[in-house]
């Protein structure tokens, strides 16, 4: 491994750590404010951030493994992290769907979605910056897993946009069902991410490949 490659892998690892710590902070704040303001979209967004932390730990572990030996296949820790992440996304999907349907039926609405606006705006900027940085490093290393991680961050960006739209729409219109609809949109993305996690774990277990298996 060249000195340039080592430098790039250090950057990739730093980006993984930033993603982990940002998701921890975002998850704690979002779930707390979502619970306080009774907005299921913000609360679900926070839970998603917590789940993304598990995925981020798996990515950080993967980068360290590749640094030490680029030719080693993904290990049991990474596969287990994918399965735990996928299962957590399925639970989140079920919770969001059930709660959203109940809120639509009962007419339950948030006290405010102001914090959803604030958090979503910060998240959009942060995710965009992380996507750009991860894609730059991933392309420089020609690393499919790092580029795939940038793709996962892009999904987080999409979810942030959904939260922003639903929060802004509710603040403007005050329509009671907007928050629940936003939560259902988040549930769709959570389901998609969960399915992809299990597909990745299955493909790795079957083919036993290394850097290109994702």
């Amino acid at each position: 491994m060249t000195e340039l490659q080592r430098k790039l892998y250090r950057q990739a690892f730093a980006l993984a750590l930033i993603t982990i710590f940002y998701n921890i902070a975002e998850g704690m704040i979002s779930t707390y404010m979502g619970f306080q303001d009774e907005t299921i979209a913000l609360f679900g967004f926070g839970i998603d951030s917590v789940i993304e932390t598990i995925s981020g730990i798996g990515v950080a572990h993967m980068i360290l493994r590749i640094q030490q030996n680029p030719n080693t296949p993904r290990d049991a820790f990474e596969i287990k992290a994918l399965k735990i992440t996928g299962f957590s996304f399925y639970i989140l999907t079920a919770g969001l769907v059930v709660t959203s349907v109940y809120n639509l039926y009962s007419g339950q609405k948030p006290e405010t979605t102001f914090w959803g606006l604030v958090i979503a705006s910060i998240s959009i900027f942060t995710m965009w910056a992380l996507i750009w940085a991860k894609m730059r490093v991933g392309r420089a290393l020609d690393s499919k897993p790092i580029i795939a991680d940038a793709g996962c961050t892009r999904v987080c960006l999409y979810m942030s946009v959904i939260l922003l739209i639903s929060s802004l729409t509710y603040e403007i219109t005050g329509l009671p069902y907007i928050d629940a609809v936003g939560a259902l949109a988040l549930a769709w993305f959570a389901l998609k991410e969960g399915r992809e996690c299990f597909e990745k774990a299955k493909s790795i277990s079957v083919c036993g490949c290394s850097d290109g298996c994702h």
Side-chain angles (χ1 to χ4, degrees):
M1 186 180 293
T2 66
E3 184 58 34
L4 175 59
Q5 287 176 318
R6 292 190 183 94
K7 180 181 178 181
L8 288 169
Y9 274 117
R10 286 196 295 268
Q11 292 177 8
F13 184 68
L15 289 170
L17 291 181
I18 291 171
T19 302
I20 291 169
F21 290 119
Y22 177 81
N23 277 322
I24 290 173
E26 182 179 76
M28 292 175 63
I29 295 170
S30 297
T31 50
Y32 175 77
M33 297 309 303
F35 180 79
Q36 289 290 106
D37 296 338
E38 298 182 1
T39 161
I40 184 62
L42 180 56
F43 185 84
F45 183 79
I47 297 297
D48 173 80
S49 297
V50 174
I51 297 171
E52 293 290 352
T53 301
I54 303 172
S55 176
I57 293 172
V59 171
H61 175 83
M62 174 198 71
I63 293 170
L64 287 177
R65 172 183 55 77
I66 295 173
Q67 274 185 294
Q68 295 169 1
N69 192 338
N71 297 318
T72 56
R74 289 192 172 187
D75 57 25
F77 179 88
E78 293 168 47
I79 296 173
K80 185 173 291 185
L82 281 170
K83 290 180 178 180
I84 292 173
T85 303
F87 184 68
S88 300
F89 274 128
Y90 283 160
I91 293 176
L92 174 60
T93 300
L96 286 175
V97 170
V98 170
T99 307
S100 297
V101 171
Y102 172 78
N103 285 2
L104 286 170
Y105 175 78
S106 65
Q108 177 73 28
K109 63 179 183 178
E111 293 183 8
T112 177
T113 55
F114 170 78
W115 285 108
L117 276 170
V118 173
I119 293 170
S121 299
I122 295 172
S123 182
I124 288 171
F125 174 78
T126 304
M127 293 302 111
W128 178 84
L130 284 172
I131 291 167
W132 179 85
K134 289 178 181 181
M135 287 298 296
R136 182 184 64 82
V137 173
R139 286 169 178 165
L141 288 168
D142 192 26
S143 172
K144 291 181 180 179
I146 293 175
I147 293 173
D149 181 45
C152 292
T153 305
R154 187 174 289 108
V155 174
C156 296
L157 174 63
Y158 296 154
M159 296 179 81
S160 301
V161 171
I162 289 174
L163 177 63
L164 179 67
I165 292 173
S166 65
S167 299
L168 180 61
T169 303
Y170 179 80
E171 285 296 305
I172 294 173
T173 66
L175 294 173
Y177 58 82
I178 294 298
D179 184 62
V181 171
L184 287 173
L186 292 178
W188 184 84
F189 275 104
L191 177 64
K192 185 173 180 290
E193 285 197 271
R195 185 170 62 247
E196 288 178 355
C197 284
F198 278 109
E199 287 175 352
K200 288 178 183 178
K202 182 179 179 180
S203 66
I204 295 168
S205 300
V206 171
C207 71
C209 50
S210 57
D211 217 31
C213 189
H214 63 275

